[in-house]
Amino acid sequence: MRVMITCFPAPAHFWPLVPYAWALQSAGHDVRVVAPSGFPSPTGIISTDFAQRVTESGIVAVPCGPPTPLAVHDCDDPDFADVLPNPEETERYVRALSVHERVERDMWDVFYHYAILAIRNYQPPRPREDIDEIVAFAKDWRPDLVLWEPWFPCGAVAAKASGAAHVRTLISPDYTAWAHERFVSKGLPSMLAEAMQPLAEHHGVTVDDELLMGQATLDPIPAGMRLPTRTPTVPVRYLPYSGGSVSQHWLRAEPTRPRVAISLGVSARAVDKGDSTGRIPALLEAVDGLDVEVIATLNKDQLSDQVETLPDNVRAMDYVPLSQLLPTCSALVNHGSFGTVIAGIAHAVPQIVCDTDEPTRFFGRATPDGVEWDRTSPKQGYSTLTANYLADRGAGSRLDHQKQSISEIRSMLRRVVEDPKVRDAALRLREEEWASTPTPAQLVPWLEKLAQER
């Protein structure tokens, strides 16, 4: 059968989908990744060479439309200013939706400040040429099945317009379903449905729950990390992939002392152009003098003006694939993104997740030169969720550099590296909550049946 995969054109959105493409392709199906052409957005949130990233994975890429600025982040839509996140609107919705400040506020913040804004970049009030080309390709190629991720729901429109079966494929906790259900339960117009309406009408498609939530949802989120929604899902194992790479010769030798990886996110540093929070200096000071070897995947922007000299036991490298680094590590210090945390779980590595009590919000103000962004916190949107998940299971700890002293951070590092109970918990987490879930390859017959029934 023909399978079309669509996603936001950025590695962080594509990489979680690669194992599905491989599984379907290995089963003899024709798989294409269909997405907008890359664009050198100054925001850094999309890839300038997205088609190349796809072909490097061994999948056929179908770039659609000319390189085009983002509707909101790059001010390409005339009404971009109307949908910029602002403090008044977010608080108004918090009250209208009865969002519980302590329990649910992070869920709302990730949806409002990140997910819906990403969706509006490619689903603005005036349909875009690149998205129209995606729908046109689907009508011409006639896929049997479309896989799409929630931050790029135009894939559902392409599926409906071409008559294909379509499956929503989560790449992170299900913030869009949680928010959509909350709007509906309060009798309010769904922000997600409103964002999809112009594109759907343009292509003669009805906006309903199937369009918004898919005919089915593949869910790689561990049960203890899922958001409370009524949307039924099909569990699947998240298989970490971080791009093609050349084997690192120095990683073949056994470490002479425990190795600790520090990974604070490639996507985040592309957007933030550094780290002004003081987190990196605190981490480096804490590991200084410990009997560990530290591999810190930090670039020059993250080190400049913050770190005069690296500790003797720290090796800073711009990038090392986690798939190669983690099997050699005794601990992983990270920013709490879903993909990084699951990679640690897959390799049974104890983890420390950097998190703070700050909100995950940012606001935009239109200016003559574009948008002036005000980020109240650069922390990862999922960090509290992932930190609590690991800590509750004894497989890691939560690190708040704003409240914990260097001595406390150092003690935490020692415990995570040396305590056999933490290592056992990490191994148990891998076996009981990750390895016990069906792989994408095991779900191929189910996907084939879904497409045939359609």
Side-chain angles (χ1 to χ4, degrees), residues 297-318:
T297 55
L298 303 172
N299 66 7
K300 61 181 181 180
D301 289 332
Q302 293 171 301
L303 294 173
S304 64
D305 301 326
Q306 295 191 71
V307 181
E308 293 184 3
T309 58
L310 290 172
D312 292 339
N313 62 339
V314 174
R315 182 177 182 178
M317 307 184 71
D318 187 80

Side-chain angles (χ1 to χ4, degrees), residues 222-225 341-342 344-351 386 389-396 421-437:
M225 210 186 295
V341 167
I342 295 297
I345 292 173
H347 292 285
V349 179
Q351 300 183 55
T386 53
Y389 172 80
L390 290 167
D392 290 347
R393 286 155 181 75
K421 293 181 180 178
V422 181
R423 291 198 298 274
D424 290 345
L427 182 59
R428 188 164 54 250
L429 191 61
R430 179 192 187 279
E431 297 303 317
E432 295 179 1
E433 297 201 34
W434 181 79
S436 63
T437 310

